[in-house]
Amino acid sequence: MPQIIIIGGGAAGFFAAITCAQTHPDTRVTLLEAGKYPLAKVKISGGGRCNVTHACFEPTQLVQYYPRGHKALRGAFTRFQPQDTVAWYADRGVKLKTEADGRMFPTTDDSDTIVRCLMDAAAAAGVKIWTGEAVAEIAPQQPAGWHVSLKSGQVLTADRVLLATGSNPSAHKWAQQLGHPLATPVPSLFTFNIPDPRLTNLAGVSVKSATVKLATTGKNALTQTGALLITHWGVSGPAVLKLSSWGARLLAEARYKTTLIVDWLPEYRPDKLRELILAVKSQLPQKTIQNSCPVPIPHRLWESLTSHIGIQASDRWAGLANKTLDRLIQELNRGEYQITGKGVFKEEFVTCGGVDLKSVNFQTMESKICPGLYFAGEILDIDGVTGGFNFQSAWTTGYLAGMAMGEG
């Protein structure tokens, strides 16, 4: 009976274990989890609701949500994609619903639904789950097979081993020692710390659509458009999180200190904005500027931006000078804010970097360097933007690994 050991009790590890044990009932599958409770990240994800996947069912479109790994995932998603994830859970009595932005959650809005489903499926398939079992080392044996040494002193043997350890530094070290190139892990999906008087006292104010751009990248400036939320420490929201994901390496190299350019009104080009403001000046000359916001941004933000460029609470449209108008347009379309560090995005813990994808066969998720060693999930140099994409890559790579490990 082939012995399969899966190291890591997260989304990818569980999905691989279940797939392997169900598809190949002649295998013995053991899952090792260092923590006391498996699936901890699944439980707390999505604010406790678990954003299982995203309602994007076309692989060529789906890969566009992955700053790293999109090429390798294109073929993988033709074999297991969000539609398959939805069907997999439905077959086990868990229905998913799609929200307006495409994110998919269990209809219960409770991540425990997903945790229980995975635990029950693993038990039904005969997966042996060991919790509180940290691995100290993995070593290939001759002519084949693996020794897995636990920190408790016990040594297990396996025909095949899967590393589904997330961003665990120890597993990265094992992979490197076995000859796999590693892209240095750095954080992805984070908020920006911006101590700026324009944002002070505006925590909770949001803009439905803003364009944010990193000034560090010159001609190839990274840009994202979407909802933006002002926080106590700076800015957050989908636009910022996506930008931090695509710019993860650049921001790390800049030590999270660079200029962020914010266009609060991406639908209004400077000439259109000038035309609109001049029309308001003509039609409402005696109205105070701060009390009559002519553009679709929150009034508190308008007050803050106008005050920042020297417009007083009593200033009227009739007295708006051309130089002040120029500054106002600049502030609305190209405001510059200094990022001084990265914040956190508590619903996601995503790392950019990991095992180089060229060293992995994406048909099977087996190492091209060490036969019998497999990878799935975040240990690979794959990461997606927020919205269920990181879980989907975990389900997909776990499924492919699980299917392949029981063969032969």
Side-chain angles (χ1 to χ4, degrees), residues 124-384:
V127 176
K128 305 299 178 188
I129 300 170
W130 296 16
T131 56
E133 292 290 0
V135 174
E137 186 183 21
I138 63 169
Q141 300 305 297
Q142 295 301 328
W146 293 83
H147 277 173
V148 177
S149 303
L150 305 182
K151 288 187 177 177
S152 63
Q154 189 172 357
V155 179
L156 308 178
T157 60
D159 297 290
R160 297 172 197 104
V161 170
L162 168 69
L163 293 182
T165 46
S167 53
N168 185 310
S170 296
H172 283 148
K173 185 179 174 183
W174 303 332
Q176 267 190 311
Q177 288 172 341
L178 291 166
H180 301 84
L182 194 74
T184 305
V186 297
S188 180
L189 281 184
F190 48 85
T191 60
F192 296 156
N193 291 346
I194 301 176
D196 190 290
R198 287 168 288 183
L199 307 180
T200 304
N201 300 322
L202 293 184
V205 170
S206 63
V207 175
K208 287 184 179 179
S209 180
T211 295
V212 287
K213 181 165 70 172
L214 292 178
T216 47
T217 49
K219 291 181 180 177
N220 299 315
L222 290 173
T223 302
Q224 288 291 329
T225 298
L228 186 148
L229 172 69
I230 299 173
T231 66
H232 289 289
W233 61 87
V235 290
S236 182
V240 168
L241 295 170
K242 288 175 186 176
L243 188 65
S244 76
S245 184
W246 286 98
R249 286 222 176 275
L250 288 163
L251 285 158
E253 288 164 8
R255 303 194 174 199
Y256 308 102
K257 289 178 172 57
T258 187
T259 301
L260 181 72
I261 299 170
V262 181
D263 183 349
W264 298 103
L265 294 161
E267 294 180 7
Y268 288 78
R269 292 298 86 220
D271 55 345
K272 183 181 176 184
L273 193 53
R274 183 180 299 275
E275 193 178 302
L276 173 66
I277 292 173
L278 286 174
V280 172
K281 179 181 177 181
S282 171
Q283 293 162 13
L284 305 170
Q286 296 310 309
K287 289 275 190 181
T288 57
I289 297 170
Q290 289 193 4
N291 283 333
S292 49
C293 174
V295 290
I297 60 171
H299 195 267
R300 286 171 62 199
L301 176 60
W302 169 259
E303 284 183 328
S304 179
L305 297 180
T306 52
S307 176
H308 177 72
I309 63 168
I311 294 173
Q312 305 295 315
S314 59
D315 288 349
R316 303 179 188 279
W317 283 110
L320 182 68
N322 286 334
K323 281 188 178 179
T324 308
L325 173 57
D326 291 341
R327 286 193 66 196
L328 179 56
I329 292 168
Q330 172 85 7
E331 197 61 45
L332 291 167
N333 276 149
R334 282 188 60 83
E336 294 191 2
Y337 297 81
Q338 296 307 309
I339 300 172
T340 60
K342 64 178 177 61
V344 294
F345 180 43
K346 293 178 182 176
E347 293 183 2
E348 298 274 359
F349 305 92
V350 177
T351 301
C352 152
V355 173
D356 189 293
L357 306 186
K358 291 177 183 175
S359 64
V360 179
N361 176 354
F362 266 72
Q363 291 287 318
T364 61
M365 304 313 299
E366 186 175 17
S367 164
K368 293 178 181 178
I369 296 164
C370 297
L373 180 65
Y374 295 75
F375 297 96
E378 203 187 337
I379 188 173
L380 295 159
D381 187 17
I382 292 174
D383 63 287

